[in-house]
Amino acid sequence: MENLEELLTERLAHAMEAATGHPADPALRRSAHADFQADGALALARQLGRPPREIAAAILARSTLDDLVSSAEISGPGFVNLTIRDDVLAGRAGQLAADPRLGVPEVADPGVIVVDYSGPNVAKEMHVGHLRSTVLGDAAARVLGWLGHTVIRINHLGDWGTPFGMLIEHMMEIGEAEASHTLSAGDLSAFYQAARAAFDSDPDFAARSRARVVALQNGDPQTLRLWAQLGAESRKYFMTVYRQLGVLLADADFQGESRYNGDLAGVVSALDGLGLLTESDGALCAFPAGFAGRDGEPLPLIVRKSDGGFGYPATDLAALRSRVDGLGAGRLLYFVGAPQRQHFEMVFQVAREAGWLGGASPEHIAFGSVLGTDGKMLKTRAGGTVKLTELLTEAVTRAEAAIGGRGVPDPAAVARAVGIGAVKYADLSTDRIKDYVFDWDRMLSFDGNTAPYLQYANARIQSILRTAGGAPENGTVVLTNPAERALALELTGFGAVVTRAGETLEFHGLATYLFGLASLFSKFYETSTVLVEDRAVRGSRLTLCAATARTLITGLGLLGIEAPERM
Ligand code: ARG
């Protein structure tokens, strides 16, 4: 079933072309004045040098809308206001209520999409940037998968590079047992900082660390064993964070940087063979087109360092090739903070120049920072990196306090859903590219655009449905008042909203939609008694309740947020 927005857009586009001989976009949107508003006549009139109201009238004269709208009026300078027929709306709402996909179409052109997200670093605490990447990337994986794409999750773990020399030396110094203990307890920052401190203060340690990097690169078995142990302990810790967060990332999704070690020399020789590399101070660099420094000098992407080692860029080039050629990905999404924009754009451009992209398109899905309520980067009181497990535990503890006294049957499970949901929703409901303020009180509030508000709205509907003994199967919707009508109209908009989220990978539109839906439900519930005598009205209202609840649950689910039955 095509959604109303698409149908109206098609019809109007057709009429615009028929009326003027020019194809044009009707620019349809939801409206405060009617159900929908089409502003396209204005731009078209400007283009043709004719009065906009006249164009609007010509469009309406040529359009066939009667089977969909009860009124089509020109307003203001030439807007077209459209009101959907009540019977159409009722029919569609009824169909939605019976549709497992709630009117969300699968994409016509499913593809293989790699979602690269989380990407923490071994023996280093995940910072809030990793948290954002994890939450946003997970929502993307869920939405794209539900829309019918094949999603491949990749957790590009930072498990290679020069810091491993000092990390392994530190491990040897404190003993393997002690190191394992620290890491499995999640004290990654403590471990990393101790290694760093020794490296900075003790020249002997620093020299041993450098030698250790060489041993690692040369595949010394003892060194490799310790390196693998560091990785295993860290992955264990990251998995506890993922489980706490309730994200899809599994052990099998870790595809560490080290995995590409064997491909790096090939990357360099292939680029060299294509004439894309230039030597600069002993390093081999690509100078992708379109990148210049402050003084206009071309910017290098270093693919082999002067000491012969490879770094982050070479690894990402190798990873990209393997994702395109090995996994057959058509789209490569990288959920990484905005500061890495230039890195990704340069890597993508080098891959393009090398002809490695084929038909695939790589996209850096950037996001802003997480700020504390003081407006600065979120840090612990001591100024250190916030430990994620502690942050998430605090979320649940605070949620427990917030729901305390409500008498819910399984308070621990509800607190988990509410606390974790609040953290995720605070992130997903803000414009991705903007910074957002991590504010416990706001995110855990039961009022406003928050997870607890939406979860509570669903729980309330579940309680109504329980009292009524459920909603009728294949219920028919009849619209008897404006609040029912507004709710039915909003329900029909879910498909377009989810489709758009899949295209833009912006989730605040979906969040705002769910908040609007829950608010309209509140108005409906205030004005329209559900359990009335009239069987048709009662059945219809229960059907609207059930469809609203399912839309909330599905929408929250796509954001990776649970919706408890009772709370
Ligand atoms: N480990 C990196 C960091 O902490 C993020 C990895 C992102 N993914 C990638 N393919 N480079 O900044």
Side-chain angles (χ1 to χ4, degrees):
M1 181 172 63
E2 252 182 315
N3 69 48
L4 283 169
E5 254 177 277
E6 281 165 3
L7 266 179
L8 291 171
T9 297
E10 271 167 30
R11 301 274 186 96
L12 288 170
H14 190 76
M16 288 171 102
E17 184 152 15
T20 65
H22 287 262
D25 175 10
L28 189 81
R29 57 191 173 90
R30 289 292 298 278
S31 164
H33 309 292
D35 293 338
F36 291 98
Q37 175 177 332
D39 300 346
L42 271 67
L44 185 56
R46 216 175 306 126
Q47 195 189 329
L48 302 174
R50 285 169 58 188
R53 286 186 71 100
E54 190 184 302
I55 297 292
I59 295 169
L60 280 184
R62 287 303 197 100
S63 61
T64 33
L65 297 168
D66 288 354
D67 58 327
L68 297 172
V69 310
S70 54
S71 101
E73 283 167 356
I74 300 166
S75 83
F79 306 127
V80 174
N81 287 343
L82 301 167
T83 304
I84 305 296
R85 283 166 49 154
D86 282 5
D87 59 332
V88 169
L89 215 45
R92 285 182 166 255
Q95 265 172 292
L96 273 183
D99 174 8
R101 291 191 58 89
L102 292 158
V104 183
E106 295 206 25
V107 287
D109 52 348
V112 177
I113 305 182
V114 164
V115 185
D116 177 321
Y117 69 110
S118 198
N121 303 306
V122 164
K124 232 176 158 180
E125 178 60 72
M126 288 168 92
H127 53 67
V128 281
H130 294 118
L131 174 68
R132 276 210 91 175
S133 170
T134 307
V135 168
L136 288 161
D138 200 62
R142 289 173 196 263
V143 169
L144 294 169
W146 204 55
L147 288 172
H149 295 290
T150 300
V151 172
I152 301 174
R153 299 183 300 268
I154 292 188
N155 194 347
H156 194 78
L157 180 72
D159 66 352
W160 199 255
T162 44
F164 282 90
M166 94 191 172
L167 293 168
I168 294 167
E169 278 302 317
H170 178 61
M171 191 176 194
M172 294 169 71
E173 214 154 81
I174 63 174
E176 289 176 43
E178 177 61 22
S180 291
H181 180 75
T182 310
L183 292 171
S184 57
D187 282 332
L188 275 58
S189 293
F191 185 88
Y192 194 91
Q193 275 156 21
R196 178 92 248 171
F199 187 86
D200 290 340
S201 65
D202 178 352
D204 274 357
F205 181 90
R208 269 182 281 133
S209 298
R210 288 198 194 90
R212 190 57 64 186
V213 177
V214 177
L216 181 64
Q217 282 162 349
N218 293 339
D220 168 58
Q222 164 75 347
T223 305
L224 272 179
R225 190 180 61 78
L226 296 175
W227 166 81
Q229 205 176 323
L230 278 174
E233 297 291 357
S234 302
R235 283 197 303 274
K236 227 187 276 167
Y237 169 69
F238 297 139
M239 280 311 301
T240 59
V241 174
Y242 300 146
R243 265 191 299 273
Q244 246 182 319
L245 259 181
V247 292
L248 301 171
L249 284 172
D251 219 16
D253 298 326
F254 283 113
Q255 307 271 346
E257 295 180 2
S258 63
R259 186 175 189 276
Y260 306 102
N261 285 351
D263 307 331
L264 300 175
V267 164
V268 172
S269 61
L271 290 176
D272 202 30
L274 291 163
L276 289 170
L277 297 184
T278 312
E279 201 185 311
S280 169
D281 294 331
L284 285 177
C285 307
F287 288 93
F291 294 89
R294 266 194 216 115
D295 304 321
E297 79 282 8
L299 276 185
L301 184 76
I302 301 174
V303 290
R304 202 183 70 197
K305 295 187 269 188
S306 52
D307 65 4
F310 308 96
Y312 195 52
T315 307
D316 259 323
L317 282 166
L320 182 146
R321 283 182 96 180
S322 113
R323 292 169 193 187
V324 174
D325 296 340
L327 301 174
R331 255 176 111 185
L332 309 166
L333 307 177
Y334 297 80
F335 283 81
V336 187
Q340 291 192 33
R341 163 163 300 142
Q342 182 165 288
H343 161 76
F344 283 109
E345 283 179 355
M346 291 180 87
V347 165
F348 300 163
Q349 181 57 24
V350 170
R352 198 168 291 123
E353 289 173 13
W356 292 345
L357 290 180
S361 61
E363 295 159 64
H364 173 213
I365 313 296
F367 49 81
S369 312
V370 187
L371 308 177
T373 41
D374 57 0
K376 301 205 189 99
M377 297 290 269
L378 190 68
K379 288 265 148 77
T380 58
R381 228 167 260 159
T385 314
V386 179
K387 195 170 158 188
L388 274 194
T389 43
E390 277 169 13
L391 187 88
L392 299 176
T393 306
E394 182 169 354
V396 175
T397 312
R398 284 176 180 263
E400 231 155 11
I403 61 165
R406 279 177 188 264
V408 294
D410 187 356
V414 174
R416 223 179 309 124
V418 170
I420 300 299
V423 170
K424 287 183 172 179
Y425 193 84
D427 187 325
L428 294 164
S429 59
T430 35
D431 195 340
R432 173 161 49 70
I433 200 63
K434 288 195 186 136
D435 297 345
Y436 88 91
V437 175
F438 196 94
D439 180 346
W440 286 121
D441 293 333
R442 210 177 61 201
M443 68 177 78
L444 282 163
S445 165
F446 277 77
D447 282 315
N449 190 9
T450 65
Y453 174 80
L454 296 177
Q455 290 167 322
Y456 183 65
N458 170 60
R460 200 160 61 134
I461 304 174
Q462 299 302 335
S463 131
I464 298 166
L465 291 169
R466 273 194 305 273
T467 309
E473 261 178 60
N474 301 316
T476 316
V477 171
V478 286
L479 300 176
T480 67
N481 68 38
E484 288 172 324
R485 194 182 181 287
L487 182 60
L489 177 64
E490 198 65 10
L491 285 168
T492 64
F494 187 55
V497 168
V498 176
T499 298
R500 203 162 301 142
E503 284 161 4
T504 60
L505 304 173
E506 299 266 14
F507 304 102
H508 64 296
L510 175 54
T512 308
Y513 168 83
L514 295 175
F515 177 55
L517 182 69
S519 310
L520 287 175
F521 181 83
S522 276
K523 288 205 191 97
F524 156 81
Y525 194 60
E526 278 161 28
T527 54
S528 321
T529 312
V530 172
L531 301 181
V532 288
E533 283 295 316
D534 186 320
R535 286 186 64 87
V537 174
R538 178 186 162 112
S540 163
R541 289 182 178 167
L542 283 169
T543 301
L544 288 174
C545 285
T548 303
R550 222 149 49 74
T551 305
L552 289 174
I553 296 169
T554 307
L556 287 171
L558 290 171
L559 298 177
I561 298 172
E562 283 176 62
E565 282 264 315
R566 299 169 197 251
M567 62 184 274

